[in-house]
Amino acid sequence: MTTLLYILTLILGLGLLIVAAMRPQRAATSRFELNRRAETGDSHARHILHRESLLGDVLSLQRIVVALLLVIVAVLCVSVFGWLTGLIVAVIIALEYGSIARLNFLKSWAQKLYSRVESKLLQTIEHYPKFFAVIRSVTPDNADDYQLESREQLLHLVAGADAILSADEKRTIKHSLEFSNLTVSSIMTPSGVIDSISRRELLGPLVLDDLHRTGHSRFPVVDGDINHVVGMLHIRDLLTVDAGKHSTTAEKSMEPRAFYIHQDQTLQHALAAFLRTHHHLFVVVNEFRETVGLLSLEDVIEALLGRKIIDEFDAHEDLRAVAARNPRDNNNSPKHTDV
């Protein structure tokens, strides 16, 4: 009798490990995508969806079988080894069976066995829906779809979606998601490369030619220096200036309104301000209302889309890179020292 109990304990213990090692594989495709494909008439997607709907019952049954086998093995251990020794063996089995079931060779063998019986098991579940409804009610539902917890997680998924999204589409999505975190100072044209014009400047042929050669379409009109912007001069407005007959000043041709935005404002705020004011260029100021740069509507759209918008007036593709090279030799006296 004792030998029979030994054999039965070993057989049920092995069965416990095999059942615990089985891992019914859910579909790699999300339920949302499967539903979308099924609605288009994809029969394979409908088949997978049907299988997915039954896998929850398979997992529930697996938990219940593991629990029952664990209880039976514990009772048999007590019967075979006595109360003290049997209890110790039962506790060890309860604590370690999960680790043993994760051994690769055991998982591989258990998975092959499960693959052979899965179709029969699913048919059994379909034939006895009421019974498995009871099982399902006492075990948690393991949905395959999950919720995104952060913007970084979404960016990670987008970065890995090479088979779905083109490089341009991924770049657009990435920049759109990061758009709300960007500030004006991160994309503005720095003051070191701003081409401005004095309000008293006569718009003669030489000045008009110099303005056109800059490659810019708009120029801040200043009263003394760049920290006193009094208006905006648009190069298109200069097409009507008859420089051969008489010269006019920048102040007379400029748009007298100037719009200022703080360098720490978000690009979302800047875009809303562009739409509200119907203006295309803002003067960027710091906390002391000193001019630190210019922000154009094109700059904001480029940051949103993740691509450059090069028009007929653009002479430089990256004015921030130009400013970093310091082409105007700003604050670079022969005996200067950076401290």
Side-chain angles (χ1 to χ4, degrees), residues 10 47 110 119 187 250 323:
L10 288 174
H47 173 74
S119 60
I187 69 165

Side-chain angles (χ1 to χ4, degrees), residues 76-142:
L76 288 174
C77 286
V78 172
S79 300
V80 172
F81 301 108
W83 280 101
L84 182 59
T85 305
L87 185 60
I88 294 174
V89 172
V91 170
I92 293 174
I93 292 174
L95 293 176
E96 298 299 329
Y97 83 91
S99 299
I100 299 173
R102 286 193 291 270
L103 295 175
N104 289 331
F105 79 92
L106 192 57
K107 286 196 300 183
S108 176
W109 193 80
Q111 203 59 35
K112 290 179 181 179
L113 179 61
Y114 173 77
S115 298
R116 293 179 181 178
V117 302
E118 183 186 70
S119 60
K120 294 292 185 181
L121 185 58
L122 295 180
Q123 291 177 8
T124 302
I125 293 173
E126 287 184 304
H127 289 158
Y128 303 98
K130 293 182 179 180
F131 172 76
F132 284 95
V134 174
I135 292 178
R136 191 185 314 130
S137 67
V138 297
T139 55
D141 179 33
N142 286 331

